[in-house]
Amino acid sequence: MKSLQKARTRIQQLKGLPYLVIEAKAFLEKFGEFLSEDEKTEITQEIQEAQNSKLTSKKPLHERFKSHFYTYEEIKNAPATRWLVQDLIPSSSIGVMIGDSGVGKTTVVLHVCTTILTTKANVYIFMIDGDMNQTKIKESEASHLLEKFPERFFYVGKQTGGDFSESVQELLAEIVEEQIKHSDREYFVIQDSLMLTVPKKRGFVDTQKLYFYEKILRSVGGSTLFIHHLNKDGNFADSQQIINYADYSFSITRNDFNSTILLHPHKASRYAIEGKAFLTEDRKIVKEVEYEAVNIEPRESKFVSYVLEALEDGEMNQSEIISHLEKMRFFSEYKVGQKKATRWLTAWGDKGKWSYERRPEQKNAIYFWIEQKQPEKVENLQNLKNCKTTLSDSVKGVCDE
């Protein structure tokens, strides 16, 4: 039983004399009937002596643990939360961005980098990318950041052989050292993607080593943001500790019908993370827009897409649109009633997605159509003019288009 005795000795050393007192009392209660009176007396005396020793002081509990308690003044004077990006990326934190392939995770991250580098001169960013090739990097905003901020933006991803995650861990250890040396700076590490950069065990995330250096970096003033992909079914199917061990996380989605990328708070924890939305054009962020205004559920987004597709062929009345949605099996697939669909038709018309009017001459039917942009109107008028000119010159009525 040497191993048992060794383990007991180690626990006693860790937990100290109070643990021995508890253990001795439990021993007496359980095995007292097997002990002589002298043995019981001797153990009882040792318990009494231990309870009277300095290690178990008779001072009140709040006096003995005073160094562990916050005072009102300490709480009152606590510093406000610092942000790398207001309401999105806190300073000295670990965050996770989760999203499907192609929704715009890298686009958002590079936009965040641009914002930080432009507004905070003391921040140094390391973008660790495990799966983007040089051509894609050149086409992205990263190339502009490398050109504009060569001393504060570093793009890591060259494959030099060996285990990529091990190389990342070595780099993180060095970044921690740099953060300790330069307390006036904040090092911000972005890792894309988490499954390529963290240590693994038997092909899965090694939760014992998860966020090891990232936690140290946080403790000395730095920050980390992980990019994490959903599985092929569009679900989060990895260790829940990826979320639980982080300070905050958000999911990212794309609404194609209004060309926006949305960040949805998933775990706010200690920070008041807020939803964000960005308008995009040609896969690049144009500006931030109001989150609540563009954050709609997938079935409503699909409804708008179906209606826009139908109206591309010309105006339709309400009954025709409802019939079109039935043919597309929209109502059965997305569990939407026709009354809700008719409300959405007018609501999105009021938002300017399409135009509509009630026509008394058509038995008060409501008609919907897409307003043509000015260049399209001019082109159509020119085509009509060309058609009339050709008709006047030719009996065959050939129309130039």
Side-chain angles (χ1 to χ4, degrees):
M1 304 293 285
K2 289 183 178 180
S3 297
L4 177 61
Q5 185 59 42
K6 185 177 180 181
R8 281 183 172 179
T9 302
R10 183 173 63 84
I11 292 172
Q12 290 168 3
Q13 291 172 344
L14 288 172
K15 294 192 174 183
L17 193 57
Y19 175 80
L20 289 175
V21 171
I22 293 170
E23 186 182 48
K25 287 181 177 180
F27 183 84
L28 270 180
E29 183 177 346
K30 190 172 182 179
F31 301 108
E33 61 180 302
F34 301 107
L35 302 176
S36 66
E37 289 301 320
D38 289 341
E39 287 174 326
K40 287 192 285 187
T41 300
E42 187 177 345
I43 292 174
T44 302
Q45 288 176 346
E46 289 182 353
I47 291 173
Q48 190 63 44
E49 290 173 4
Q51 289 177 329
N52 293 333
S53 69
K54 293 182 180 180
L55 290 176
T56 54
S57 172
K58 291 296 183 180
K59 289 182 180 179
L61 181 145
H62 67 275
E63 288 292 333
R64 284 183 280 134
F65 292 91
K66 186 176 181 180
S67 61
H68 297 280
F69 299 156
Y70 284 112
T71 66
Y72 168 73
E73 289 300 322
E74 288 173 329
I75 299 298
K76 179 183 176 181
N77 297 319
T81 299
R82 295 182 303 111
W83 297 90
L84 287 171
V85 177
Q86 186 66 38
D87 302 325
L88 186 63
I89 310 290
S91 291
S92 303
S93 65
I94 300 172
V96 182
M97 177 197 293
I98 306 167
D100 211 345
S101 298
V103 297
K105 296 185 294 295
T106 302
T107 300
V108 169
V109 164
L110 290 174
H111 176 76
V112 164
C113 289
T114 301
T115 301
I116 294 172
L117 291 168
T118 304
T119 59
K120 299 185 180 298
N122 68 320
V123 177
Y124 291 69
I125 298 177
F126 286 80
M127 177 91 178
I128 303 175
D129 189 341
D131 58 4
M132 189 179 288
N133 59 43
Q134 285 179 273
T135 302
K136 288 293 184 182
I137 297 172
K138 181 180 179 181
E139 294 171 354
S140 72
E141 187 66 23
S143 60
H144 303 297
L145 294 176
L146 286 168
E147 179 182 17
K148 190 173 181 180
F149 303 99
E151 301 298 322
R152 294 196 294 125
F153 181 74
F154 306 92
Y155 206 99
V156 184
K158 280 186 180 180
Q159 301 289 341
T160 57
D163 188 309
F164 183 70
S165 65
E166 288 184 5
S167 299
V168 170
Q169 300 309 302
E170 293 173 5
L171 174 62
L172 290 173
E174 294 292 333
I175 292 174
V176 168
E177 291 295 328
E178 287 295 307
Q179 182 67 77
I180 293 171
K181 287 181 195 175
H182 304 284
S183 58
D184 57 326
R185 301 177 181 178
E186 180 166 354
Y187 286 86
F188 181 36
V189 180
I190 300 166
Q191 300 187 45
D192 184 6
S193 68
L194 181 144
M195 293 303 292
L196 296 175
T197 61
V198 301
K200 286 178 282 296
K201 187 176 182 180
R202 298 189 185 93
F204 297 96
V205 172
D206 188 344
T207 55
Q208 297 298 316
K209 298 180 180 179
L210 183 62
Y211 304 156
F212 178 79
Y213 287 111
E214 291 80 5
K215 289 178 181 178
I216 300 174
L217 181 62
R218 178 182 61 186
S219 70
V220 294
S223 300
T224 305
L225 175 64
F226 286 94
I227 298 176
H228 190 51
H229 299 283
L230 298 175
N231 66 14
K232 62 181 181 180
D233 296 322
N235 300 315
F236 179 82
D238 294 295
S239 172
Q240 187 59 36
Q241 288 164 317
I242 291 173
I243 302 296
N244 294 343
Y245 291 179
D247 296 314
Y248 67 94
S249 65
F250 46 85
S251 59
I252 177 169
T253 59
R254 173 184 289 276
N255 271 345
D256 288 321
F257 83 97
N258 59 13
S259 301
T260 56
I261 298 175
L262 298 100
L263 302 179
H264 313 280
H266 190 249
K267 173 191 174 185
S269 188
R270 295 177 291 154
Y271 301 102
I273 305 298
E274 295 182 2
K276 297 285 184 179
F278 301 95
L279 180 66
T280 63
E281 186 176 317
D282 297 328
R283 308 290 292 184
K284 293 182 179 179
I285 290 177
V286 178
K287 62 178 180 179
E288 184 175 347
V289 293
E290 187 179 351
Y291 173 77
E292 296 298 335
V294 297
N295 181 30
I296 64 173
E297 56 184 319
R299 61 180 183 169
E300 190 171 355
S301 172
K302 183 59 71 174
F303 167 83
V304 174
S305 298
Y306 279 155
V307 174
L308 286 173
E309 289 173 5
L311 294 179
E312 285 179 358
D313 295 329
E315 68 176 18
M316 301 174 70
N317 64 36
Q318 181 172 292
S319 297
E320 291 170 335
I321 293 175
I322 295 297
S323 178
H324 172 74
L325 292 172
E326 286 178 334
K327 290 178 181 177
M328 301 297 294
R329 298 186 178 181
F330 171 77
F331 297 114
S332 59
E333 184 176 349
Y334 291 94
K335 310 302 180 187
V336 176
Q338 292 189 11
K339 287 185 178 179
K340 176 169 282 190
T342 56
R343 289 198 299 270
W344 283 350
L345 277 172
T346 53
W348 282 100
D350 293 337
K351 293 177 182 179
K353 208 66 185 174
W354 45 70
S355 299
Y356 71 96
E357 67 178 5
R358 186 180 296 276
R359 296 178 182 176
E361 72 278 9
Q362 299 288 339
K363 298 181 180 181
N364 276 333
I366 303 176
Y367 278 78
F368 299 82
W369 69 94
I370 300 174
E371 288 285 357
Q372 290 182 337
K373 296 178 182 179
Q374 194 62 32
E376 292 175 346
K377 290 182 178 180
V378 172
E379 182 180 354
N380 289 343
L381 287 172
Q382 185 61 46
N383 288 340
L384 180 60
K385 182 179 178 181
N386 292 341
C387 182
K388 288 180 178 179
T389 302
T390 305
L391 283 171
S392 65
D393 294 339
S394 173
V395 177
K396 293 181 179 179
V398 178
C399 180
D400 295 329
E401 294 185 8

PDB file of all heavy atoms in Angstrom, residues 264-280:
ATOM      1  N   HIS A 264     -23.761  37.385 -34.488  1.00  0.00           N
ATOM      2  CA  HIS A 264     -24.765  37.172 -33.446  1.00  0.00           C
ATOM      3  C   HIS A 264     -24.079  36.765 -32.143  1.00  0.00           C
ATOM      4  O   HIS A 264     -23.370  35.747 -32.123  1.00  0.00           O
ATOM      5  CB  HIS A 264     -25.740  36.070 -33.865  1.00  0.00           C
ATOM      6  CG  HIS A 264     -26.254  36.204 -35.256  1.00  0.00           C
ATOM      7  ND1 HIS A 264     -27.280  37.065 -35.598  1.00  0.00           N
ATOM      8  CD2 HIS A 264     -25.870  35.601 -36.418  1.00  0.00           C
ATOM      9  CE1 HIS A 264     -27.519  36.968 -36.893  1.00  0.00           C
ATOM     10  NE2 HIS A 264     -26.667  36.091 -37.417  1.00  0.00           N
ATOM     11  N   PRO A 265     -24.270  37.507 -31.056  1.00  0.00           N
ATOM     12  CA  PRO A 265     -23.663  37.119 -29.773  1.00  0.00           C
ATOM     13  C   PRO A 265     -24.119  35.722 -29.375  1.00  0.00           C
ATOM     14  O   PRO A 265     -25.304  35.399 -29.419  1.00  0.00           O
ATOM     15  CB  PRO A 265     -24.198  38.173 -28.796  1.00  0.00           C
ATOM     16  CG  PRO A 265     -24.556  39.339 -29.659  1.00  0.00           C
ATOM     17  CD  PRO A 265     -25.029  38.753 -30.953  1.00  0.00           C
ATOM     18  N   HIS A 266     -23.162  34.884 -29.016  1.00  0.00           N
ATOM     19  CA  HIS A 266     -23.467  33.494 -28.665  1.00  0.00           C
ATOM     20  C   HIS A 266     -23.227  33.263 -27.187  1.00  0.00           C
ATOM     21  O   HIS A 266     -24.045  32.716 -26.484  1.00  0.00           O
ATOM     22  CB  HIS A 266     -22.595  32.551 -29.497  1.00  0.00           C
ATOM     23  CG  HIS A 266     -22.986  31.120 -29.403  1.00  0.00           C
ATOM     24  ND1 HIS A 266     -22.207  30.170 -28.775  1.00  0.00           N
ATOM     25  CD2 HIS A 266     -24.082  30.453 -29.856  1.00  0.00           C
ATOM     26  CE1 HIS A 266     -22.802  28.987 -28.844  1.00  0.00           C
ATOM     27  NE2 HIS A 266     -23.937  29.123 -29.479  1.00  0.00           N
ATOM     28  N   LYS A 267     -22.086  33.731 -26.721  1.00  0.00           N
ATOM     29  CA  LYS A 267     -21.770  33.686 -25.291  1.00  0.00           C
ATOM     30  C   LYS A 267     -21.113  35.008 -24.936  1.00  0.00           C
ATOM     31  O   LYS A 267     -20.024  35.317 -25.399  1.00  0.00           O
ATOM     32  CB  LYS A 267     -20.817  32.532 -24.973  1.00  0.00           C
ATOM     33  CG  LYS A 267     -20.334  32.542 -23.523  1.00  0.00           C
ATOM     34  CD  LYS A 267     -19.198  31.562 -23.300  1.00  0.00           C
ATOM     35  CE  LYS A 267     -18.646  31.708 -21.886  1.00  0.00           C
ATOM     36  NZ  LYS A 267     -17.472  30.857 -21.643  1.00  0.00           N
ATOM     37  N   ALA A 268     -21.792  35.810 -24.120  1.00  0.00           N
ATOM     38  CA  ALA A 268     -21.269  37.134 -23.781  1.00  0.00           C
ATOM     39  C   ALA A 268     -20.396  37.100 -22.536  1.00  0.00           C
ATOM     40  O   ALA A 268     -19.466  37.875 -22.399  1.00  0.00           O
ATOM     41  CB  ALA A 268     -22.419  38.122 -23.573  1.00  0.00           C
ATOM     42  N   SER A 269     -20.703  36.177 -21.607  1.00  0.00           N
ATOM     43  CA  SER A 269     -19.929  36.014 -20.389  1.00  0.00           C
ATOM     44  C   SER A 269     -19.776  37.336 -19.648  1.00  0.00           C
ATOM     45  O   SER A 269     -20.752  37.995 -19.330  1.00  0.00           O
ATOM     46  CB  SER A 269     -18.558  35.407 -20.718  1.00  0.00           C
ATOM     47  OG  SER A 269     -17.865  35.066 -19.540  1.00  0.00           O
ATOM     48  N   ARG A 270     -18.539  37.750 -19.413  1.00  0.00           N
ATOM     49  CA  ARG A 270     -18.299  38.961 -18.627  1.00  0.00           C
ATOM     50  C   ARG A 270     -18.461  40.236 -19.432  1.00  0.00           C
ATOM     51  O   ARG A 270     -18.441  41.332 -18.871  1.00  0.00           O
ATOM     52  CB  ARG A 270     -16.877  38.925 -18.061  1.00  0.00           C
ATOM     53  CG  ARG A 270     -16.624  37.811 -17.071  1.00  0.00           C
ATOM     54  CD  ARG A 270     -15.171  37.817 -16.642  1.00  0.00           C
ATOM     55  NE  ARG A 270     -14.289  37.410 -17.726  1.00  0.00           N
ATOM     56  CZ  ARG A 270     -13.017  37.766 -17.825  1.00  0.00           C
ATOM     57  NH1 ARG A 270     -12.493  38.555 -16.920  1.00  0.00           N
ATOM     58  NH2 ARG A 270     -12.290  37.343 -18.817  1.00  0.00           N
ATOM     59  N   TYR A 271     -18.623  40.115 -20.733  1.00  0.00           N
ATOM     60  CA  TYR A 271     -18.613  41.296 -21.593  1.00  0.00           C
ATOM     61  C   TYR A 271     -19.969  41.509 -22.272  1.00  0.00           C
ATOM     62  O   TYR A 271     -20.645  40.556 -22.651  1.00  0.00           O
ATOM     63  CB  TYR A 271     -17.528  41.144 -22.662  1.00  0.00           C
ATOM     64  CG  TYR A 271     -16.150  40.961 -22.090  1.00  0.00           C
ATOM     65  CD1 TYR A 271     -15.550  39.708 -22.047  1.00  0.00           C
ATOM     66  CD2 TYR A 271     -15.459  42.041 -21.573  1.00  0.00           C
ATOM     67  CE1 TYR A 271     -14.284  39.530 -21.515  1.00  0.00           C
ATOM     68  CE2 TYR A 271     -14.190  41.881 -21.037  1.00  0.00           C
ATOM     69  CZ  TYR A 271     -13.600  40.625 -21.009  1.00  0.00           C
ATOM     70  OH  TYR A 271     -12.354  40.464 -20.480  1.00  0.00           O
ATOM     71  N   ALA A 272     -20.331  42.765 -22.418  1.00  0.00           N
ATOM     72  CA  ALA A 272     -21.600  43.121 -23.061  1.00  0.00           C
ATOM     73  C   ALA A 272     -21.423  43.152 -24.574  1.00  0.00           C
ATOM     74  O   ALA A 272     -21.477  44.199 -25.223  1.00  0.00           O
ATOM     75  CB  ALA A 272     -22.089  44.473 -22.547  1.00  0.00           C
ATOM     76  N   ILE A 273     -21.198  41.965 -25.153  1.00  0.00           N
ATOM     77  CA  ILE A 273     -21.038  41.864 -26.602  1.00  0.00           C
ATOM     78  C   ILE A 273     -22.379  42.159 -27.273  1.00  0.00           C
ATOM     79  O   ILE A 273     -23.417  41.664 -26.837  1.00  0.00           O
ATOM     80  CB  ILE A 273     -20.557  40.449 -26.999  1.00  0.00           C
ATOM     81  CG1 ILE A 273     -19.276  40.096 -26.253  1.00  0.00           C
ATOM     82  CG2 ILE A 273     -20.355  40.346 -28.502  1.00  0.00           C
ATOM     83  CD1 ILE A 273     -18.112  40.988 -26.549  1.00  0.00           C
ATOM     84  N   GLU A 274     -22.371  42.940 -28.339  1.00  0.00           N
ATOM     85  CA  GLU A 274     -23.602  43.281 -29.046  1.00  0.00           C
ATOM     86  C   GLU A 274     -23.568  42.748 -30.473  1.00  0.00           C
ATOM     87  O   GLU A 274     -22.499  42.538 -31.042  1.00  0.00           O
ATOM     88  CB  GLU A 274     -23.798  44.801 -29.075  1.00  0.00           C
ATOM     89  CG  GLU A 274     -24.004  45.413 -27.695  1.00  0.00           C
ATOM     90  CD  GLU A 274     -24.240  46.908 -27.763  1.00  0.00           C
ATOM     91  OE1 GLU A 274     -24.282  47.453 -28.900  1.00  0.00           O
ATOM     92  OE2 GLU A 274     -24.375  47.535 -26.700  1.00  0.00           O
ATOM     93  N   GLY A 275     -24.751  42.519 -31.035  1.00  0.00           N
ATOM     94  CA  GLY A 275     -24.844  42.082 -32.416  1.00  0.00           C
ATOM     95  C   GLY A 275     -24.357  43.166 -33.363  1.00  0.00           C
ATOM     96  O   GLY A 275     -24.564  44.361 -33.125  1.00  0.00           O
ATOM     97  N   LYS A 276     -23.695  42.750 -34.431  1.00  0.00           N
ATOM     98  CA  LYS A 276     -23.175  43.694 -35.427  1.00  0.00           C
ATOM     99  C   LYS A 276     -23.582  43.228 -36.817  1.00  0.00           C
ATOM    100  O   LYS A 276     -23.749  42.035 -37.068  1.00  0.00           O
ATOM    101  CB  LYS A 276     -21.642  43.770 -35.350  1.00  0.00           C
ATOM    102  CG  LYS A 276     -21.098  44.292 -34.022  1.00  0.00           C
ATOM    103  CD  LYS A 276     -21.271  45.785 -33.887  1.00  0.00           C
ATOM    104  CE  LYS A 276     -20.636  46.299 -32.598  1.00  0.00           C
ATOM    105  NZ  LYS A 276     -20.769  47.764 -32.470  1.00  0.00           N
ATOM    106  N   ALA A 277     -23.722  44.178 -37.732  1.00  0.00           N
ATOM    107  CA  ALA A 277     -24.062  43.851 -39.122  1.00  0.00           C
ATOM    108  C   ALA A 277     -23.271  44.759 -40.056  1.00  0.00           C
ATOM    109  O   ALA A 277     -23.062  45.944 -39.769  1.00  0.00           O
ATOM    110  CB  ALA A 277     -25.555  44.019 -39.358  1.00  0.00           C
ATOM    111  N   PHE A 278     -22.830  44.182 -41.173  1.00  0.00           N
ATOM    112  CA  PHE A 278     -22.020  44.928 -42.137  1.00  0.00           C
ATOM    113  C   PHE A 278     -22.583  44.751 -43.540  1.00  0.00           C
ATOM    114  O   PHE A 278     -22.894  43.635 -43.967  1.00  0.00           O
ATOM    115  CB  PHE A 278     -20.563  44.442 -42.104  1.00  0.00           C
ATOM    116  CG  PHE A 278     -19.911  44.573 -40.755  1.00  0.00           C
ATOM    117  CD1 PHE A 278     -19.881  43.497 -39.877  1.00  0.00           C
ATOM    118  CD2 PHE A 278     -19.350  45.767 -40.347  1.00  0.00           C
ATOM    119  CE1 PHE A 278     -19.293  43.603 -38.629  1.00  0.00           C
ATOM    120  CE2 PHE A 278     -18.755  45.895 -39.102  1.00  0.00           C
ATOM    121  CZ  PHE A 278     -18.728  44.804 -38.240  1.00  0.00           C
ATOM    122  N   LEU A 279     -22.712  45.862 -44.247  1.00  0.00           N
ATOM    123  CA  LEU A 279     -23.153  45.827 -45.643  1.00  0.00           C
ATOM    124  C   LEU A 279     -21.949  45.518 -46.522  1.00  0.00           C
ATOM    125  O   LEU A 279     -20.864  46.075 -46.325  1.00  0.00           O
ATOM    126  CB  LEU A 279     -23.751  47.181 -46.040  1.00  0.00           C
ATOM    127  CG  LEU A 279     -24.270  47.312 -47.467  1.00  0.00           C
ATOM    128  CD1 LEU A 279     -25.479  46.411 -47.672  1.00  0.00           C
ATOM    129  CD2 LEU A 279     -24.628  48.762 -47.768  1.00  0.00           C
ATOM    130  N   THR A 280     -22.119  44.596 -47.473  1.00  0.00           N
ATOM    131  CA  THR A 280     -21.004  44.198 -48.336  1.00  0.00           C
ATOM    132  C   THR A 280     -21.296  44.493 -49.799  1.00  0.00           C
ATOM    133  O   THR A 280     -22.449  44.581 -50.221  1.00  0.00           O
ATOM    134  CB  THR A 280     -20.720  42.684 -48.193  1.00  0.00           C
ATOM    135  OG1 THR A 280     -21.860  41.934 -48.636  1.00  0.00           O
ATOM    136  CG2 THR A 280     -20.401  42.325 -46.761  1.00  0.00           C
TER     137      THR A 280
END
